[in-house]
């Protein structure tokens, strides 16, 4: 799994064969990937699940800390902070953030892992808490900004991971700093005013 994640992160999902993964993992059997995971989709799902479960545990700790908060920054922190915390715990070099970015740009894989992620209890609690804080926003705007926030988290973390692997990350930076700046940016994104023009659909609801 580690060899597959590294190859996917460095070359993309479609550019890596089962044979290459087996060779990188030191497996003489070229069917090892098929034997253990069935196909590429099964392998990608297994990788995302392994990291997703670790992130979910961290998110549960954050939820316990904020309790029944009404502060949107607390709920954004529960959404954002578990990801860079997990990545920081992996050490360097790591490949998960860059691999996740590859997955999220593949329509089929993105749908599979997103549907699975939304079954996780702590992520659902976090999204519900954010929804309560943003109840005044039209559903359409919340959905659009949620997509933007997901891309921002995914690709910002991938860029930091890449910089660490290349040795070009700023010396003063850290995964904690990444968590802080992402939290600031996403609070601003979610709470920004909504531009109303003659092309803007009417808000949802009465």
């Amino acid at each position: 799994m580690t060899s597959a994640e590294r190859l996917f992160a460095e070359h993309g999902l479609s550019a890596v064969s089962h044979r290459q993964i087996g060779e990188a993992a030191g497996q003489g059997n070229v069917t090892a990937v098929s034997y253990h995971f069935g196909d590429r989709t099964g392998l990608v799902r297994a990788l995302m699940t392994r990291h997703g479960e670790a992130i979910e545990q961290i998110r549960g700790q954050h939820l316990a800390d904020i309790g029944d908060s009404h502060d949107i920054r607390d709920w954004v922190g529960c959404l954002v902070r578990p990801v860079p915390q997990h990545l920081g715990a992996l050490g360097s070099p790591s490949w998960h953030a860059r691999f996740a970015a590859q997955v999220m740009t593949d329509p089929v894989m993105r749908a599979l892992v997103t549907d699975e992620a939304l079954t996780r209890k702590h992520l659902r609690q976090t999204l519900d808490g954010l929804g309560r804080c943003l109840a005044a926003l039209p559903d359409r705007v919340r959905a659009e900004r949620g997509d933007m926030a997901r891309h921002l988290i995914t690709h910002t973390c991938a860029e930091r991971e890449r910089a660490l692997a290349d040795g070009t990350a700023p010396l003063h930076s850290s995964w904690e700093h990444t968590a802080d700046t992402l939290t600031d940016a996403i609070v601003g994104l979610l709470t920004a005013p909504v531009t109303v023009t003659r092309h803007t659909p009417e808000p949802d609801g009465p």
Side-chain angles (χ1 to χ4, degrees):
M1 291 177 74
T2 301
S3 296
E5 187 171 60
R6 175 177 60 80
L7 290 172
F8 286 147
E10 293 176 345
H11 304 291
L13 298 182
S14 62
V16 178
S17 68
H18 288 188
R19 178 185 292 275
Q20 288 172 308
I21 294 169
E23 290 175 350
Q27 297 291 321
N29 184 356
V30 297
T31 65
V33 172
S34 299
Y35 176 79
H36 289 289
F37 303 101
D39 57 13
R40 185 185 307 271
T41 299
L43 175 56
V44 169
R45 181 184 283 123
L47 282 164
M48 292 298 288
T49 297
R50 180 174 69 171
H51 290 285
E53 290 175 348
I55 291 168
E56 178 77 347
Q57 289 185 352
I58 299 171
R59 184 168 284 120
Q61 296 167 5
H62 283 277
L63 285 168
D65 289 341
I66 70 168
D68 192 26
S69 175
H70 297 285
D71 186 345
I72 189 172
R73 182 174 292 275
D74 287 338
W75 291 102
V76 170
C78 286
L79 178 68
V80 171
R81 292 185 180 279
V83 179
Q85 277 186 248
H86 173 63
L87 292 169
L90 295 177
S92 184
S94 62
W95 298 276
H96 176 61
R98 287 170 286 171
F99 164 68
Q102 296 282 350
V103 171
M104 297 310 288
T105 55
D106 182 289
V108 175
M109 296 296 184
R110 180 179 69 241
L112 287 172
V113 300
T114 299
D115 288 346
E116 182 178 352
L118 290 175
T119 66
R120 296 195 178 109
K121 175 184 175 182
H122 297 318
L123 179 58
R124 287 298 331 161
Q125 289 177 324
T126 299
L127 295 177
D128 288 345
L130 277 171
R132 291 192 295 272
C133 293
L134 299 170
L137 282 181
D139 290 346
R140 171 189 56 82
V141 175
R142 270 189 281 171
E144 290 172 346
R145 293 184 180 184
D147 286 342
M148 293 177 193
R150 184 182 70 244
H151 287 296
L152 189 58
I153 295 168
T154 300
H155 292 286
T156 298
C157 288
E159 286 304 312
R160 170 161 174 76
E161 185 182 70
R162 181 178 293 109
L164 285 170
D166 294 343
T168 58
L171 294 178
H172 64 274
S173 187
S174 65
W175 282 113
E176 183 177 1
H177 176 72
T178 301
D180 290 340
T181 56
L182 277 171
T183 299
D184 291 342
I186 291 174
V187 168
L189 168 64
L190 295 177
T191 59
V194 179
T195 300
V196 178
T197 70
R198 62 189 180 91
H199 300 294
T200 303
E202 291 295 322
D204 300 318

